[in-house]
C-alpha cells in the first residue's frame, strides 16, 4: 500500500552506493469503511470488513489487496515501524534493528496478495485497461516492497518490486489520471530520491529513478487531497516530509487532523505530542 514510501527511505538511507488538508473518506463502500478501521488501528474489524467484501465481490482483487494491507499495517503498529523519528533522523534509521515478524501474519499477508494477483491477472488478460485492477497490482507491489524493506531489511530484494510498481502506476495514470491513489507511488519516488545531492540524483537517473522533489510533493498532495484508500496515509507522509524540511507547523496541522479523524491511532497522537 502503499506504500513505496517506506522502501524508498530504506533505499536512500541504507544502501551504501545510493547514498491544511482535511480530506474526508467517502463511505460509499465497505472497502472505504475497512480502510478507516485500519487507520484507526482496529485491525480485527478491518479484516472482517475486507473479508466480507471479498465474499460478496469474489472477483475483485481489491478485497484481498486491502486485507493484505491490514496485515502489513498491523505488523507496522506492533513493531513500531512508522515512527517519524526513524525517518527524520538518518542515523537512527540506518542503525535500526531488524524487526521480528510474526510468521502467521507473514503467511496471511503473502496469501492475500497472491490471491489478489491471481484475480487481477485473470481480469487483465481480457481487459488490460481496467483501472481498479491495475491499482490493486500497484498496491500489491508496494506492499511487498514495504514488507521486504521495513520488516525484513532486504532493501535490494525490494528494488524489483518498486521499479515494477512505478512503471505500472504510470500506466494506470495514463489510463485514468483521476485515480489519485496512484499518485502516491510516483510522488514518494520523486520526493525521497529528489532530496539527495546532485551527483546522487544523476546516478539514480541512470537507473531510471525519478528525482524531482517538488514534483514528488505535488503528487503526494494530490493523494492527500483527493485520494480514496490512501488519502490518510499520504497525509502522514506529507507530515514526515514537512518534518524533514523543518516545517513543524505544517506537520502539526496534518497530524492534528489525523488525530481528530482517527482517535484510536496511537501513532498520530504520539507524533503530535512530540511536536507540542
Amino acid at each position: 500500500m502503499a506504500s513505496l514510501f517506506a522502501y524508498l527511505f530504506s533505499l536512500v538511507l541504507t544502501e551504501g552506493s545510493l547514498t491544511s488538508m482535511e480530506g474526508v473518506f467517502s463511505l460509499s463502500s465497505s472497502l472505504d469503511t475497512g480502510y478507516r478501521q485500519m487507520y484507526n488501528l482496529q485491525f480485527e474489524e478491518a479484516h472482517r470488513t475486507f473479508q466480507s467484501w471479498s465474499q460478496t465481490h469474489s472477483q475483485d482483487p481489491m478485497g484481498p489487496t486491502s486485507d493484505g494491507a491490514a496485515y502489513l499495517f498491523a505488523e507496522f503498529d506492533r513493531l513500531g515501524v512508522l515512527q517519524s523519528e526513524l525517518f527524520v533522523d538518518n542515523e537512527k534509521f540506518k542503525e535500526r534493528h531488524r524487526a521480528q515478524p510474526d510468521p502467521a501474519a507473514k503467511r496471511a499477508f503473502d496469501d492475500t496478495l497472491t490471491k489478489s494477483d491471481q484475480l487481477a491477472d485473470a481480469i487483465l488478460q481480457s481487459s488490460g485497461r481496467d483501472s481498479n485492477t491495475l491499482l490493486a497490482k500497484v498496491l500489491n507491489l508496494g506492499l511487498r516492497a514495504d514488507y521486504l524493506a521495513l520488516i525484513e531489511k532486504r532493501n535490494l530484494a525490494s528494488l524489483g518490486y518498486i521499479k515494477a510498481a512505478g512503471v505500472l502506476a504510470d500506466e494506470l495514470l495514463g489510463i485514468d489520471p483521476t485515480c489519485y491513489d496512484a499518485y502516491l507511488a510516483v510522488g514518494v519516488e520523486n520526493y525521497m530520491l529528489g532530496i539527495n545531492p546532485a551527483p546522487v540524483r544523476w546516478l539514480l537517473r541512470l537507473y531510471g529513478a525519478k528525482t524531482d522533489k517538488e514534483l514528488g510533493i505535488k503528487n503526494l498532495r494530490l493523494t492527500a487531497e483527493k485520494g480514496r484508500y490512501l488519502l490518510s496515509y499520504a497525509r502522514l507522509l506529507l507530515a514526515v516530509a514537512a518534518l524533514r524540511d523543518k516545517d513543524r507547523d505544517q506537520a502539526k496541522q496534518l497530524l492534528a487532523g489525523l488525530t481528530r479523524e482517527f482517535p484510536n491511532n496511537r501513532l498520530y497522537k504520539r507524533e503530535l505530542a512530540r511536536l507540542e
Side-chain angles (χ1 to χ4, degrees), residues 77-214:
D77 178 59
R78 184 179 70 85
L79 298 168
V81 165
L82 293 180
Q83 298 178 55
S84 69
E85 61 182 344
L86 291 178
F87 299 108
V88 174
D89 188 325
N90 293 0
E91 290 303 315
K92 283 186 179 180
F93 191 89
K94 286 188 287 187
E95 295 173 2
R96 75 196 191 284
H97 297 295
R98 181 175 178 176
Q100 293 297 320
D102 179 346
K106 176 63 162 59
R107 286 193 298 271
F109 173 75
D110 288 336
D111 289 345
T112 54
L113 296 193
T114 297
K115 181 177 180 180
S116 174
D117 281 334
Q118 290 171 345
L119 292 171
D121 290 342
I123 294 171
L124 293 175
Q125 284 180 0
S126 59
S127 175
R129 297 180 64 82
D130 184 87
S131 59
N132 180 72
T133 302
L134 288 172
L135 177 60
K137 293 283 286 185
V138 170
L139 296 182
N140 291 347
L141 290 164
L143 290 167
R144 286 192 169 101
D146 276 359
Y147 194 98
L148 286 168
L150 274 188
I151 294 181
E152 296 187 350
K153 292 190 69 174
R154 296 172 57 199
N155 302 325
L156 291 178
S158 63
L159 182 58
Y161 289 107
I162 217 68
K163 287 184 176 180
V167 170
L168 202 57
D170 282 335
E171 180 183 342
L172 169 55
L173 290 171
I175 295 169
D176 181 9
T178 67
C179 185
Y180 294 105
D181 285 332
Y183 286 97
L184 185 143
V186 181
V188 167
E189 181 178 10
N190 269 296
Y191 174 77
M192 287 312 304
L193 301 184
I195 65 176
N196 282 274
V200 177
R201 293 198 302 272
W202 177 82
L203 179 61
L204 291 168
R205 289 191 187 105
L206 291 181
Y207 286 86
K210 299 174 183 177
T211 57
D212 186 331
K213 175 184 173 181
E214 295 306 318

Side-chain angles (χ1 to χ4, degrees), residues 226-238:
K226 301 180 180 181
R228 185 177 182 182
Y229 307 124
L230 304 184
L231 179 148
S232 296
Y233 189 43
R235 287 158 63 190
L236 176 62
L237 305 191
L238 283 176

Side-chain angles (χ1 to χ4, degrees), residues 1-9 25 35 38-39 69 72-73 76 81-82 87 139 142-143 146 150 181 184-185 188 220 223-224 227-241 254-255 258 261-262 265 267-268:
M1 173 194 204
S3 75
L4 307 183
F5 165 79
Y7 165 76
L8 287 166
F9 268 117
F25 270 97
Y35 277 91
M38 184 183 79
Y39 292 127
L72 181 64
F73 271 71
F76 280 173
V81 165
L82 293 180
F87 299 108
L139 296 182
L143 290 167
D146 276 359
L150 274 188
D181 285 332
L184 185 143
V188 167
L220 282 175
T223 304
R228 185 177 182 182
Y229 307 124
L230 304 184
L231 179 148
S232 296
Y233 189 43
R235 287 158 63 190
L236 176 62
L237 305 191
L238 283 176
V240 173
L254 289 162
L255 288 167
L258 288 168
E261 190 167 357
F262 303 103
N265 193 309
L267 171 66
Y268 301 151

